[in-house]
Amino acid sequence: MLKAEIPKDRNKLKQQIEALRYQISVDSNEKDKQIHEKALLTLEAAMEGVA
């Protein structure tokens, strides 16, 4: 099981979210895409203060 490392710096968090959104758009491997989507959901939740 993979765990997303959530940065404490809000700007770094935003950068990681944007990077994952881009990566998902270019992923050709379905497994990679699923991993990146899970990480994105985790980081977005952290951004909203849920995680």
Side-chain angles (χ1 to χ4, degrees):
M1 174 182 221
L2 296 174
K3 283 182 78 174
E5 186 69 32
I6 300 172
K8 300 197 185 313
D9 181 358
R10 197 158 175 85
N11 287 327
K12 286 185 180 185
L13 182 56
K14 287 179 184 178
Q15 287 176 340
Q16 283 190 353
I17 289 171
E18 289 304 313
L20 279 170
R21 286 180 179 154
Y22 170 75
Q23 188 60 47
I24 290 167
S25 74
V26 298
D27 274 337
S28 59
N29 181 316
E30 191 59 36
K31 183 69 174 172
D32 289 344
K33 190 172 187 174
Q34 289 174 356
I35 291 168
H36 293 137
E37 286 171 342
K38 280 187 175 182
L40 178 60
L41 289 175
T42 301
L43 294 178
E44 287 176 336
M47 184 66 124
E48 295 172 7
V50 174

